[in-house]
Amino acid sequence: MSTIRGGNPLATLRQITSTRPEPVVGERCEMCAQAIAEEHQHVVNLESRALMCTCRGCYLLFTAEHAELRYRAVPDRYLSFPDFAFGENEWDELQIPVGLAFLFQNSVQDRTVAFYPGPAGATESELSLEAWTRIVSANPQLGVLKPDVEALLLRGPDRENHPGFSAHVVPIDTCYELVGRLRALWRGFDGGQEALAAIEEFFATVEERSRPAPRPSGDGVA
Ligand SMILES: [Zn+2]
Ligand SMILES: [Zn+2]
């Protein structure tokens, strides 16, 4: 994962930890250099969009939602939308050539971005503000989506297993992990057996971890 170094609040932290001996193996927090487990949390750099691997302590520095911060902690929540209002027309409008896409709000550029996996990694698809606004107004529950750190995962219909569309909120680091995995596995036009199996496995995990999204209460929802 790419690293963007710098940022004053972290200078002190780095000084404190720089006197410690460096761990020989394993990953390290990209903010304070402390050794971290293979399973760890991430922070998004809002300018570069880079994900940074963090220890728990550094992660917690950036969980405040409305603070004017350069980094944001990626939350660990999965939500499902059992009554998602979405159909063929909306799907066509997004112009996604594969069976799934991730949509997220880029708060710095003030726009919604759609991307999908493929042999070259993540490919961005133009998403008109109009199209996004229509989807959100048909599904007010989508107001729970947190900019920059969560993505709306859309799955299109599939010949056998999935006749309809599905939507989930997933942590953005999960999306990048899937994209990276698929890039390595992708063969031919549709990804091939291994990529399709990885996608199935991914959706099974998402289903298992998701709980239904909260209903809009009537106020405070865009
Ligand atoms: Zn750290
Ligand atoms: Zn990491």
Side-chain angles (χ1 to χ4, degrees):
M1 228 141 257
S2 54
T3 313
I4 303 297
R5 301 214 180 260
N8 306 338
L10 306 169
T12 319
L13 275 175
R14 266 203 300 277
Q15 274 168 11
I16 293 166
T17 53
S18 62
T19 53
R20 290 184 194 163
E22 292 189 7
V24 184
V25 288
E27 294 199 60
R28 289 194 285 162
C29 174
E30 293 183 70
M31 290 184 158
C32 75
Q34 185 185 311
I36 50 176
E38 202 184 326
E39 285 277 320
H40 52 258
Q41 286 161 305
H42 295 111
V43 158
V44 173
N45 179 321
L46 298 188
E47 287 297 333
S48 70
R49 318 310 300 177
L51 279 175
M52 298 174 73
C53 302
T54 52
C55 70
R56 183 76 183 154
C58 290
Y59 173 83
L60 290 174
L61 293 175
F62 303 105
T63 49
E65 217 172 299
H66 302 291
E68 289 293 321
L69 296 172
R70 181 173 161 190
Y71 303 97
R72 283 273 190 285
V74 179
D76 184 31
R77 69 168 184 172
Y78 292 74
L79 301 173
S80 62
F81 299 89
D83 309 316
F84 193 54
F86 197 82
E88 292 287 350
N89 291 342
E90 287 81 2
W91 183 252
D92 289 347
E93 210 166 20
L94 295 178
Q95 298 180 33
I96 307 293
V98 295
L100 75 156
F102 300 106
L103 277 59
F104 75 95
Q105 293 160 285
N106 181 325
S107 69
V108 175
Q109 295 177 3
D110 194 23
R111 65 187 186 114
T112 302
V113 179
F115 67 94
Y116 56 88
T123 304
E124 195 179 321
S125 171
E126 276 300 320
L127 177 67
S128 70
L129 183 63
E130 216 176 284
W132 173 247
T133 307
R134 260 203 306 278
I135 295 170
V136 175
S137 59
N139 298 277
Q141 282 175 295
L142 293 181
V144 300
L145 186 69
K146 291 183 180 150
D148 307 302
V149 291
E150 289 184 327
L152 180 68
L153 164 65
L154 293 179
R155 186 177 203 187
D158 167 326
R159 295 144 300 234
E160 293 143 38
N161 310 329
H162 315 277
F165 294 90
S166 74
H168 292 86
V169 165
V170 297
I172 197 131
D173 52 359
T174 307
C175 309
Y176 288 129
E177 275 159 30
L178 178 73
V179 166
R181 210 170 143 207
L182 291 178
R183 182 175 49 192
L185 296 174
W186 204 274
R187 301 284 179 275
F189 175 71
D190 68 349
Q193 284 288 321
E194 276 183 82
L196 295 180
I199 290 171
E200 283 302 327
E201 193 189 313
F202 173 73
F203 277 106
T205 307
V206 168
E207 281 294 346
E208 194 185 297
R209 300 191 65 173
S210 292
R211 58 188 169 79
R215 300 216 156 259
S217 57
D219 54 8
V221 175

